[in-house]
Amino acid sequence: MRQISTLEYLSMSKARRAWFKFSSFILNIPRAIGRWFRNLPHKFGAFFGKIGGWFAGLFDALRYGNWKTRMSALILGFGCFAYHQIGRGLLYLLYEIIFVLFMVFFGAKYIAKLGTLGDVAQVRDPDTDLVLIEGDNSFSILLYSMLTIAVIVFTLIIWVKSIKDAYNNQLGYSIAQRAASAKDDVGQLLNHKFHLTILAFPSLTLVVFTIVPLMFMILVAFTNYNRNTIPPANLFTWVGFDNFAAVLTGQAKGLSGAQDASRWSYTFWRILGWTMEWAVLATFTNLFLGMIVALIINKKSIKLKKFWRTCLVTVVAVPQFVSLLLVSKMLNNAGIFNSILFSLGLPTVDWLHESASLAKFMIVVVNLWVGVPHTVLTCTGILMNIPDDLYEAAKIDGANPVKMFSKITLPYMMFVLGPSLITTFVGNINNFNLIFLLTGGSTGIADSRLATQAGDLDLLITWLYKLTVNGQQYDVASVIGILIFIVVAFFSLIVYSRIGSVKNEEDFQ
Amino acid sequence: MKYLKTSKKSAKGAIIDSFIYLLLAIISIIWVFPFVYLILCSLRGESGGMVTYLWPKQITFDNFIYLFKGDFLTWYLNTLIIAIVVSIINTLITLLTAYALSRMRFNGRQALMKFMLILGMFPGFLGMICIYYLLNAMGMINSSLSIVGLMLVYVSGTMMGYYVSKGFFDTISRSLDEAAMIDGASRAKIFFSIILPLSKPIIIQTLLGAFVGPWGDYMMANYIVGRGGTDFKTAAIGLYQMVDTLPEISENFTQFCAGGVVVSLLPIIMFFFMQRFYVAGVTGGSVKG
């Protein structure tokens, strides 16, 4: 980007200044991303440095600790018993016993087969269809391996903690002759360690129902798990990057899907294009119309503000499956809109099924109907928050309403709404409800170039949904999921590298 | 001269205002019309899906009566139980997580926040196959426990939605905490007796959001209970399946509308009474004016 001096900038006309700001923002995006990636090694360095520091404490404890401390590495809680912390010691010991039992009877047999995802196929008697040999279940092996890995990581943390506890006890014993009692421990959990108490249950559900499933599904993208290989009757196995190659470039060797790989890639790029187009259109139309409506409702001389707002807010309150299903039936060929057109003597239109471009236009319009009230609510809150003295000062200086709007209202609103734009944008990329409930993801016009389960109105998220629920193409669905993540992360990265609010959270105080 | 000028100006203002009123009236009609249509259809006595006129020829409550004679009451109660339990648990989790991340400084806090940020970028539906399998292993699919299973699904990712509440807590002065701490209050005590009473808007916004989410969810619920027995469905799934295919639309459309009215009633009442807090909450976390 061209560097210019302050004087040069000030001598520009207003339009050129605005253009300059805009173009420098756009031109800076690659640079910001580049900077983020250049900083990545530092970030990783800091991360591993922290982990290294954590282990260094462990080695210190093992090196300088006495035999009681070292014994804790084998028998968890030994160092606590030795210093009369019976309660804490018992908990450690109990955890160790449970962990060993868990590994012996559950974890070990799954981890051992993770490399192949099972090699003994199920055998059934061809005549009676009874199961003769149970065989390996690839799904259980992969899933429970992930669960076991999560447990092992947690155990590692507990193990290091127990050794450090023992070492601290040893050090404290020589100074103060007393280690923290069970009562102290409980008190700490409500005070300085309150975060442990309150984050324990949410973290557990997060690990079991979000992190483990996600790890599982990310790994499924590297297997051939689809409707032809459903366990327990069949085995699935690792295929490396074949699925990614099929979806991105259309070239794949080992993909066992029923159709050729080029259809996957054609469908993916087409749906990605429409997803982006939709997200941009939906976000900006919503923002502009929402701001205009909010401004006219909040105009000082307008009465019945609450009434107008309530009219709009009804859409927010009614569940989307009711409002969107209703609108989709109203837009039907025999729906009420066409009835009105017909009775007026006008030609009827099959809004959502006639052509893809008309259906896309209608989707954006219906999205305005659903989304504008949200924007109006937010904008109303912002408008009420603009300090009145700004306007009074402007009035004294002789500013006209247009000037006040462009110099106070608009910058203020954009300042607050700017960061939330990206949230809306990402929300629109993943807007399942609108596309699925309104159109089912397709106009119904057959297109042989599209892969299974994909329709011409599908977003990536609805295609993912259909691939999972109807198509049982889990391998491709996982690839799509990971690609959605990459798209969303890309846009979030732009914003987080440009705004500092994430970094300077202490500034508000 | 001066008087003339002001009267001219106000006349111009009145014209603009009347234009705006007209515009607002049109906007309101567009926004409210589908719901008027919904209510009219739910009261329509004539059967048949789509009719070519707006005002029903025969007004009855038969659709509602028919609906409640069927499985709808079970669906509605299922949804109600799930939404109430989930909204209470989720609000607690969200507020406590936000409090911990806003006020306490512990090892791994930054890492946890970054980790949750990245985790949130994955589409939530991706892990569903796996969750289904886990719930199945726990006996929560197609059984009377499937409501509990669905609750677990809704509760699982809540921790990641702490942003807005944390933004709100960040604006509450930290000197309050320090004063209480000097008086000997523990962190738990500070949260429950100082921070919570100050956070009414954010509590109500979180409660409302956590209630409306499960109340209207189709995507997750359909995967967990959509193919199960009719007793375990939620209202969203039941009503969607009533009008899924064309012959079903012509048979059930008026009852679907009646169901839609019943389902929408509770959220509308809640929004109506809590709108003030909702507006304050939406912006409270972001505006530091």
Side-chain angles (χ1 to χ4, degrees):
Chain A
M1 189 192 60
R2 194 164 56 93
Q3 290 290 328
I4 61 163
S5 67
T6 319
L7 197 66
E8 218 176 319
Y9 177 74
L10 288 174
S11 66
M12 286 178 181
S13 69
K14 264 181 200 157
R16 283 197 58 196
R17 272 188 216 175
W19 169 247
F20 175 76
K21 273 189 195 162
F22 176 74
S23 61
S24 59
F25 173 79
I26 299 291
L27 289 171
N28 261 325
I29 287 174
R31 188 181 291 183
I33 293 171
R35 200 183 310 132
W36 190 86
F37 275 107
R38 260 202 309 284
N39 282 336
L40 210 57
H42 294 286
K43 283 178 188 161
F44 268 110
F47 178 69
F48 285 114
K50 263 188 193 160
I51 291 187
W54 189 64
F55 275 109
L58 171 72
F59 290 127
D60 275 357
L62 287 177
R63 197 163 152 208
Y64 302 114
N66 57 14
W67 67 275
K68 290 175 187 166
T69 305
R70 287 179 199 172
M71 219 30 206
S72 308
L74 275 182
I75 303 169
L76 264 69
F78 189 84
C80 297
F81 287 123
Y83 296 97
H84 311 295
Q85 285 182 318
I86 308 297
R88 196 188 277 205
L90 273 177
L91 279 182
Y92 274 132
L93 195 63
L94 194 66
Y95 182 81
E96 183 173 8
I97 293 168
I98 291 173
F99 174 71
V100 170
L101 289 178
F102 171 82
M103 281 309 284
V104 169
F105 290 107
F106 187 83
K109 65 180 174 194
Y110 293 113
I111 288 276
K113 285 179 182 166
L114 186 59
T116 59
L117 293 179
D119 38 25
V120 187
Q122 193 177 54
V123 178
R124 282 170 185 270
D125 192 320
D127 300 325
T128 58
D129 208 36
L130 289 172
V131 177
L132 298 178
I133 302 170
E134 194 56 58
D136 291 327
N137 186 336
S138 306
F139 192 100
S140 317
I141 291 171
L142 192 54
L143 175 58
Y144 292 136
S145 294
M146 290 304 110
L147 208 59
T148 311
I149 287 172
V151 171
I152 289 175
V153 169
F154 184 69
T155 308
L156 195 70
I157 295 170
I158 296 281
W159 182 67
V160 173
K161 181 90 175 58
S162 82
I163 295 171
K164 283 187 180 170
D165 266 7
Y167 187 53
N168 284 343
N169 279 345
Q170 178 198 334
L171 295 179
Y173 200 69
S174 55
I175 301 164
Q177 302 287 318
R178 181 180 167 274
S181 72
K183 203 180 156 195
D184 295 340
D185 282 346
V186 175
Q188 284 301 308
L189 281 179
L190 289 178
N191 200 4
H192 294 298
K193 291 188 172 156
F194 189 45
H195 60 271
L196 287 182
T197 321
I198 58 189
L199 295 182
F201 173 71
S203 305
L204 183 73
T205 58
L206 192 72
V207 170
V208 175
F209 286 102
T210 308
I211 296 176
V212 167
L214 261 184
M215 281 161 58
F216 174 88
M217 287 312 290
I218 289 171
L219 289 179
V220 162
F222 300 95
T223 69
N224 60 352
Y225 178 29
N226 55 40
R227 62 173 150 212
N228 301 323
T229 55
I230 302 253
N234 301 291
L235 294 169
F236 61 83
T237 187
W238 302 109
V239 295
F241 283 90
D242 280 5
N243 299 324
F244 284 92
V247 170
L248 290 174
T249 66
Q251 287 157 355
K253 299 150 277 169
L255 197 78
S256 55
Q259 51 203 321
D260 61 308
S262 63
R263 279 220 326 229
W264 287 120
S265 75
Y266 172 79
T267 312
F268 169 72
W269 290 110
R270 189 169 142 182
I271 290 183
L272 180 69
W274 159 231
T275 307
M276 289 293 116
E277 200 183 317
W278 146 254
V280 172
L281 272 176
T283 310
F284 286 98
T285 51
N286 228 325
L287 178 75
F288 284 119
L289 197 66
M291 262 166 68
I292 292 168
V293 175
L295 282 170
I296 60 177
I297 289 182
N298 285 291
K299 192 170 181 289
K300 279 240 162 66
S301 56
I302 298 294
K303 306 262 176 352
L304 294 170
K305 285 189 170 59
K306 205 168 176 196
F307 169 76
W308 303 119
R309 223 182 295 143
T310 310
C311 282
L312 293 182
V313 164
T314 323
V315 181
V316 181
V318 173
Q320 289 200 335
F321 76 90
V322 175
S323 54
L324 289 175
L325 278 177
L326 178 74
V327 171
S328 86
K329 305 300 176 239
M330 287 166 82
L331 289 171
N332 236 345
N333 209 359
I336 186 73
F337 288 128
N338 275 337
S339 303
I340 293 171
L341 283 182
F342 187 74
S343 60
L344 292 176
L346 294 167
T348 60
V349 187
D350 199 349
W351 302 99
L352 295 174
H353 304 285
E354 206 159 274
S355 75
S357 42
L358 178 66
K360 284 174 181 179
F361 176 75
M362 287 317 291
I363 289 171
V364 173
V365 170
V366 173
N367 179 60
L368 280 178
W369 180 69
V370 174
V372 159
H374 284 278
T375 322
V376 170
L377 273 188
T378 317
C379 287
T380 304
I382 297 167
L383 288 171
M384 288 199 278
N385 265 317
I386 302 180
D388 272 343
D389 40 354
L390 283 180
Y391 291 109
E392 278 156 26
K395 211 178 271 175
I396 290 167
D397 287 348
N400 58 0
V402 178
K403 197 125 201 167
M404 280 198 266
F405 172 75
S406 66
K407 291 287 174 189
I408 301 173
T409 317
L410 198 63
Y412 201 95
M413 281 172 89
M414 288 317 289
F415 174 73
V416 182
L417 279 180
S420 77
L421 264 187
I422 202 74
T423 327
T424 321
F425 186 77
V426 168
N428 277 325
I429 291 179
N430 285 328
N431 198 336
F432 174 87
N433 273 353
L434 197 93
I435 300 291
F436 191 82
L437 295 179
L438 191 66
T439 67
S442 162
T443 53
I445 302 165
D447 188 340
S448 60
R449 289 167 301 176
L450 288 171
T452 44
Q453 309 300 335
D456 44 4
L457 300 177
D458 265 326
L459 300 181
L460 286 174
I461 185 78
T462 56
W463 190 33
L464 165 70
Y465 178 85
K466 289 182 190 170
L467 278 174
T468 312
V469 176
N470 307 330
Q472 296 179 312
Q473 290 281 357
Y474 304 116
D475 43 5
V476 180
S478 306
V479 173
I480 305 291
I482 291 171
L483 292 174
I484 293 177
F485 164 76
I486 291 172
V487 170
V488 170
F490 175 78
F491 286 104
S492 308
L493 206 63
I494 292 175
V495 173
Y496 285 109
S497 63
R498 306 263 333 163
I499 55 170
S501 69
V502 186
K503 288 167 210 147
N504 338 322
E505 57 175 335
E506 314 276 341
D507 285 359
F508 305 132
Q509 291 292 326
Chain B
M1 194 60 200
K2 202 182 171 194
Y3 284 121
L4 200 69
K5 203 178 173 189
T6 43
S7 71
K8 212 175 181 182
K9 211 174 184 182
S10 69
K12 199 177 154 197
I15 292 170
I16 292 177
D17 276 7
S18 47
F19 262 117
I20 288 180
Y21 280 122
L22 187 70
L23 198 66
L24 280 175
I26 293 170
I27 289 175
S28 303
I29 289 170
I30 293 174
W31 254 265
V32 170
F33 171 72
F35 300 116
V36 174
Y37 180 69
L38 181 77
I39 294 169
L40 289 179
C41 280
S42 72
L43 294 173
R44 195 170 73 202
E46 313 91 85
S47 61
M50 300 293 178
V51 286
T52 49
Y53 47 88
L54 193 61
W55 198 262
K57 287 177 179 148
Q58 184 192 352
I59 289 185
T60 79
F61 284 98
D62 280 357
N63 294 319
F64 292 91
I65 295 164
Y66 188 85
L67 197 68
F68 278 98
K69 272 187 192 155
D71 294 317
F72 182 75
L73 191 63
T74 322
W75 302 338
Y76 191 81
L77 289 178
N78 283 347
T79 317
L80 192 66
I81 293 168
I82 291 173
I84 289 175
V85 172
V86 167
S87 69
I88 292 170
I89 295 179
N90 280 9
T91 307
L92 264 178
I93 290 179
T94 312
L95 293 178
L96 284 168
T97 309
Y99 176 74
L101 293 173
S102 164
R103 281 306 156 58
M104 315 213 35
R105 292 290 175 268
F106 50 91
N107 271 341
R109 173 178 156 277
Q110 290 276 350
L112 182 69
M113 281 164 62
K114 275 184 192 153
F115 182 67
M116 287 199 279
L117 182 74
I118 294 172
L119 208 59
M121 293 176 192
F122 281 98
F125 185 77
L126 192 56
M128 236 22 216
I129 310 160
C130 206
I131 294 171
Y132 184 85
Y133 189 88
L134 282 174
L135 291 179
N136 204 5
M138 292 190 261
M140 289 181 180
I141 297 292
N142 206 2
S143 74
S144 50
L145 280 176
S146 59
I147 294 174
V148 182
L150 207 50
M151 285 178 196
L152 274 174
V153 171
Y154 293 135
V155 168
S156 66
T158 329
M159 205 182 166
M160 294 187 286
Y162 68 88
Y163 299 100
V164 181
S165 318
K166 178 178 174 293
F168 188 90
F169 289 151
D170 280 342
T171 59
I172 298 178
S173 170
R174 207 170 285 176
S175 48
L176 285 176
D177 295 46
E178 281 154 14
M181 241 182 266
I182 290 169
D183 290 345
S186 68
R187 285 285 188 184
K189 178 116 181 135
I190 293 173
F191 176 71
F192 285 109
S193 23
I194 295 178
I195 303 291
L196 271 194
L198 285 174
S199 319
K200 209 170 164 192
I202 206 73
I203 293 173
I204 287 175
Q205 197 209 340
T206 319
L207 264 176
L208 204 57
F211 185 88
V212 172
W215 188 261
D217 174 61
Y218 172 81
M219 183 164 63
M220 305 285 189
N222 185 39
Y223 200 62
I224 301 292
V225 299
R227 290 163 294 182
T230 181
D231 280 354
F232 315 126
K233 281 177 189 156
T234 62
I237 308 304
L239 288 178
Y240 182 88
Q241 289 174 355
M242 272 170 72
V243 289
D244 200 13
T245 59
L246 260 176
E248 279 169 344
I249 296 175
S250 52
E251 198 178 323
N252 297 331
F253 186 69
T254 49
Q255 283 143 39
F256 165 79
C257 289
V261 170
V262 175
V263 165
S264 310
L265 221 52
L266 196 58
I268 288 180
I269 293 171
M270 287 168 79
F271 263 87
F272 192 75
F273 282 106
M274 297 175 179
Q275 204 193 109
R276 190 162 54 91
F277 296 107
Y278 190 74
V279 172
V282 165
T283 51
S286 52
V287 180
K288 316 284 187 291

